[in-house]
Amino acid sequence: MATRPQSVISPAQSDDSGDDQADNQRDLFLATYRWMLLARLSEDRLSALWKAGKIVGGVYLGRGQEALSAALGVNLRKGSDIFAPLIRDQAGRLAFGEPLIESMQTYLGSRLGPMRGRDGNIHRGRPREGYYAMISHLGCMVSAIAGGLMAKRFQGDSDFVGATCIGDGGMSTGSFHEAMNMAAVEKLPLIVLAANNQYAYSTPSSRQFACADLVDRAIGYGFAGHSVDGTSLTDCLATIGKAVAAARAGGGPQLIVGTILRLAGHAEHDDASYVDPIIRHKPFAVDCLRAAEEMILAKGWLAQSDLATLRNAVMNEIDDAVSTAQKEPVPDAGTEDWCALSSRHLVDGHLA
Amino acid sequence: MSITYLEAIREAQAKALADDPRVYIYGQDVGEFGGAFKATKNLSKEFPGRVLDAPISEDAIVGSAIGAAIEGMRPIVEMQFADFSSVGFNQIVNHAATLYWRTEVPCPITVRLPSGGNLGSGPFHSQCMEALYAHYPGLIVMTPATVEDAYSMLLEAVAIDDPVVFCEHKYLYYHLKADALPTDALPAGKARIARPGRDATIVTYSAMLHEALAAAEELALDAYQIEVVDLRTVKPIDTDTILASVARTGRLLAVGEAFPWGGVTAEVIARVVTEGFELLDAPPQRLNARDTPIPYHPNLWAAHRPTAPAIVNALRNLLRM
Ligand SMILES: Cc1ncc(C[n+]2csc(CCOP(=O)(O)OP(=O)(O)O)c2C)c(N)n1
């Protein structure tokens, strides 16, 4: 498991005296920024590998959504909380504790990765460790997390939350609506982080929903609702932190809606030429990573040279993960265990 | 003592709840009300907090069972009518069925489907969905035809580490009675010779077993001995038992209550033709419901699904070939 955030960065200069809260906020900001950076740069590498023909299937980038996603990941506790990330959650996955190598292994089809070449790209996870592996069908993971929470309640566990992510497009599905309503009825400590990134593939939000603000839906479901500026890591950490704490304290389900712009195509095969140029100048189109760096410099938490050093360290980590995954064996159809059931004696065919 | 098919299902659930704290039941109206068919009658009282009413949300009910199974529970979910499992179909076939293969984490859920026709139930409360689920890798599909099997197979379904679609038959709920609950049973995946014979084989399952047995009884008056095979589980399907029966009789009629296109009867015939063509003395035949939605009026319904007289006709044709 990856290092927990607090030990990742030692600030260049320590803020004066004993203002612990300010120190903690700075440390959390910097640690979360590092997950954002690792996500961004590792996805840049994935994009390059895809363009070089080294990756089969799609590559879906979370560019522009790292602040939202990482802020959720750092607020979850691996071991007790459960998490079902979605397509644009590389940052949240890493912050929750997924080792970087597992993303490379999955995209590159390594037999040693968590999906063993059987499933690819974003469809990865380790469900036994509270890290559910999404299926493609949008909306489906919300009820799965809800069920995981019901199980924990049955088992007498306490102090846990479950979280999942969704896009403005996925929020239109029946699966999503059913699960939100059910989670509210069951009063579960469920956090749903919705990214309204203006487009669902090529469909603009205006063709996706007709209510003024998606966060208003919280009222109808019986969720607490929170709006967050997805371009601001400070706001993401504060708002998502508050929502997670509320759910953990027994405050019931929480819907967080972040407004941003998807700063990439739907996937790397998509040049996003349909994006309205006017939108790129809206406040929600700011790049959250750039904004976080500006804040770090403005506050004097790190110097420009520290940021460069950090970037180098992250690049090295990515190089290592890619070259390791590239050397690993790929699946072999001849030795593959073609079996979809754990109960071997019930596999269809001639029974023993 | 006499016990119905429905009571056997209730008793199996009571035993599963009593034996294993990981078991719980989730579904529409299953709590205090006891279920639309009373299959969970009194269970919420006997097992407080473990038999819960769910909102009308088949997708979320199955999805939640998957999450709970990942966390170590063994949920039983009731689809009020098999027909409505189409709303939860996606979670069953794409999520539950792929989980183990994708992640090596088994998904021990039992999805109960009150299936099949009942008088006056019409197009949306009468369907048989077993073939749809059997089509997907990663699922086990059970179709018990007797009180004993309803009980023992449901207990087995809950114990199996993979998702089981349990197609119980509504017509059998009250029509079928047994003297007592069984103490042992054939394992899942094994078919049963329900009636031995030598002139022709009927392969069938669920409520059609009883129509087939009645048809065999009638032909016995003409000294024909018809062998009847009850599949019990349609996925996996017991090809060996089917082939062994056809080897004895040389003739095959596959009977199912589901729609005719594709399906379990087609699968039975495909397997016999590809693996036992030389055993056949006549072209294999099949009998299914008609290729229309299921009608409401009893006159139409009786003509829509296979019944003993229709099976007798089909057998007489087969025996003449
Ligand atoms: C039920 C379903 N329908 C269609 C798709 C195909 N699909 C994958 S992602 C996507 C767009 C999703 O948009 P949104 O939920 O807003 O997330 P975003 O891509 O913007 O992050 C579509 C249509 C799918 N995965 N699931």
Side-chain angles (χ1 to χ4, degrees):
Chain A
M1 167 175 168
T3 337
R4 293 307 294 172
Q6 44 277 19
S7 62
V8 173
I9 293 173
S10 43
Q13 64 212 65
S14 185
D15 260 1
D16 49 0
S17 58
D19 191 353
D20 284 353
Q21 208 184 333
D23 282 359
N24 287 344
Q25 268 173 9
R26 179 202 56 203
D27 290 353
L28 181 62
F29 189 101
L30 290 174
T32 313
Y33 163 73
R34 192 190 192 279
W35 294 123
M36 292 169 63
L37 185 66
L38 184 60
R40 174 72 60 92
L41 297 180
S42 62
E43 287 195 333
D44 285 352
R45 180 64 61 84
L46 286 167
S47 166
L49 287 165
W50 182 82
K51 284 174 183 145
K54 308 272 191 216
I55 288 175
V56 294
V59 169
Y60 303 84
L61 302 191
R63 184 173 303 179
Q65 301 190 193
E66 291 93 342
L68 273 174
S69 185
L72 177 61
V74 293
N75 272 293
L76 301 177
R77 301 176 190 157
K78 201 171 180 194
S80 58
D81 292 344
I82 52 183
F83 182 35
L86 220 66
I87 34 181
R88 311 207 188 276
D89 285 308
Q90 176 86 341
R93 291 168 186 269
L94 292 165
F96 184 58
E98 182 191 67
L100 179 65
I101 180 76
E102 297 201 345
S103 124
M104 299 305 167
Q105 287 169 321
T106 308
Y107 272 100
L108 292 164
S110 162
R111 186 149 52 81
L112 309 184
M115 310 314 282
R116 300 158 293 149
R118 290 183 175 188
D119 207 343
N121 55 52
I122 54 217
H123 299 97
R124 61 184 193 273
R126 291 195 177 271
R128 275 270 191 276
E129 296 167 29
Y131 173 40
Y132 291 10
M134 62 175 276
I135 66 166
S136 279
H137 297 66
L138 293 168
C140 282
M141 299 313 290
V142 187
S143 60
I145 291 287
L149 295 172
M150 287 168 68
K152 283 174 167 287
R153 184 183 282 174
F154 276 123
Q155 291 159 354
D157 287 1
S158 57
D159 203 25
F160 56 87
V161 300
T164 188
C165 304
I166 192 86
D168 45 284
M171 284 178 81
S172 304
T173 62
S175 193
F176 179 81
H177 295 300
E178 284 196 7
M180 293 294 277
N181 180 60
M182 192 188 85
V185 166
E186 301 290 353
K187 300 187 176 61
L188 297 168
L190 173 71
I191 291 122
V192 176
L193 175 62
N196 177 8
N197 61 11
Q198 313 307 317
Y199 288 90
Y201 206 154
S202 75
T203 304
S205 294
S206 60
R207 300 291 304 166
Q208 203 64 244
F209 59 90
C211 53
D213 189 334
L214 284 172
V215 79
D216 295 339
R217 290 204 183 152
I219 301 165
Y221 293 125
F223 270 53
H226 313 261
S227 296
V228 57
D229 172 1
T231 70
S232 159
L233 179 54
T234 310
D235 190 14
C236 290
L237 283 168
T239 305
I240 296 172
K242 196 173 79 181
V244 173
R248 213 182 281 288
Q254 315 281 319
L255 172 67
I256 308 157
V257 179
T259 307
I260 31 166
L261 179 65
R262 193 188 68 206
L263 298 178
H266 171 59
E268 284 307 87
H269 61 258
D270 168 29
D271 66 6
S273 51
Y274 45 80
V275 172
D276 181 351
I278 295 168
I279 240 179
R280 297 194 189 278
H281 303 292
K282 300 262 186 185
F284 58 69
V286 167
D287 179 351
C288 60
L289 190 75
R290 184 87 54 81
E293 282 164 0
E294 280 165 11
M295 168 122 172
I296 290 167
L297 295 172
K299 291 261 186 190
W301 288 340
L302 293 177
Q304 192 81 40
S305 59
D306 299 321
L307 285 180
T309 311
L310 182 60
R311 189 172 272 260
N312 270 336
V314 164
M315 288 301 263
N316 287 339
E317 192 180 334
I318 294 165
D319 288 343
D320 284 352
V322 172
S323 67
T324 305
Q326 278 180 324
K327 281 191 235 95
E328 288 177 355
V330 291
D332 168 22
T335 57
E336 173 76 5
D337 178 19
W338 296 98
C339 177
L341 294 176
S342 71
S343 318
R344 304 280 149 155
H345 65 289
L346 290 174
V347 173
D348 196 29
H350 293 273
L351 299 160
Chain B
M1 181 186 143
S2 148
I3 183 156
T4 64
Y5 183 93
L6 180 70
E7 284 159 358
I9 287 166
R10 198 208 86 98
E11 289 306 317
Q13 293 180 99
K15 182 165 166 50
L17 285 161
D19 289 355
D20 189 343
R22 299 172 300 176
V23 175
Y24 72 96
I25 300 177
Y26 199 51
Q28 290 149 32
D29 307 294
V30 299
E32 210 172 304
F33 186 66
F37 299 99
K38 301 295 170 198
T40 56
K41 192 174 165 199
N42 291 330
L43 293 182
S44 74
K45 248 183 257 126
E46 289 169 45
F47 302 94
R50 293 173 64 197
V51 184
L52 302 172
D53 286 337
I56 304 171
S57 305
E58 287 76 7
D59 179 288
I61 290 169
V62 178
S64 71
I66 295 165
I70 289 172
E71 300 302 323
M73 302 295 284
R74 304 187 89 88
I76 301 173
V77 297
E78 180 180 297
M79 301 280 106
Q80 196 154 73
F81 285 82
D83 312 61
F84 303 119
S85 76
S86 56
V87 178
F89 185 74
N90 178 41
Q91 294 276 17
I92 299 172
V93 307
N94 284 312
H95 204 173
T98 63
L99 187 72
Y100 172 74
W101 183 79
R102 294 168 64 233
T103 68
E104 296 184 293
V105 174
C107 187
I109 70 173
T110 301
V111 185
R112 287 184 39 234
L113 263 54
S115 305
N118 237 355
L119 204 62
S121 293
F124 310 117
H125 294 76
S126 308
Q127 294 175 75
C128 295
M129 318 273 286
E130 59 276 352
L132 292 170
Y133 293 108
H135 184 69
Y136 282 84
L139 298 174
I140 291 164
V141 183
M142 295 182 174
T143 49
T146 66
V147 176
E148 292 84 352
D149 275 351
Y151 178 78
S152 59
M153 290 171 74
L154 183 49
L155 279 172
E156 199 178 356
V158 176
I160 286 173
D161 274 341
D162 294 288
V164 179
V165 177
F166 191 82
C167 304
E168 52 204 46
H169 200 290
K170 299 198 297 292
Y171 184 79
L172 302 181
Y173 275 164
Y174 311 101
H175 283 83
L176 216 54
K177 284 193 176 68
D179 291 338
L181 290 172
T183 48
D184 61 353
L186 281 176
K190 282 278 170 215
R192 183 176 64 98
I193 307 293
R195 177 189 174 107
R198 50 147 212 260
D199 297 318
T201 294
I202 301 177
V203 173
T204 190
Y205 58 96
S206 193
M208 286 297 119
L209 171 69
H210 306 283
E211 302 295 328
L213 288 171
E217 198 71 19
E218 184 163 340
L219 283 184
L221 302 176
D222 297 343
Y224 287 116
Q225 293 184 26
I226 308 297
E227 181 149 308
V228 180
V229 176
D230 172 12
L231 287 176
R232 302 175 70 249
T233 315
V234 303
K235 177 85 171 278
I237 196 165
D238 186 351
T239 313
D240 292 338
T241 299
I242 298 169
L243 287 171
S245 175
V246 175
R248 282 190 288 276
T249 65
R251 283 164 209 270
L252 169 67
L253 172 67
V255 180
E257 185 177 330
F259 300 129
W261 209 100
V264 177
T265 54
E267 188 65 32
V268 167
I269 289 179
R271 291 189 186 219
V272 169
V273 169
T274 52
E275 296 186 44
F277 192 67
E278 73 288 351
L279 307 173
L280 289 163
D281 298 329
Q285 304 293 307
R286 65 190 183 124
L287 190 60
N288 279 90
R290 293 178 193 252
D291 194 21
T292 69
I294 298 160
Y296 157 74
H297 196 277
N299 292 350
L300 298 180
W301 184 58
H304 185 269
R305 61 170 201 146
T307 50
I311 298 172
V312 166
N313 274 343
L315 281 171
R316 288 199 192 281
N317 285 337
L318 176 64
L319 290 164
R320 271 198 295 269
M321 284 181 189

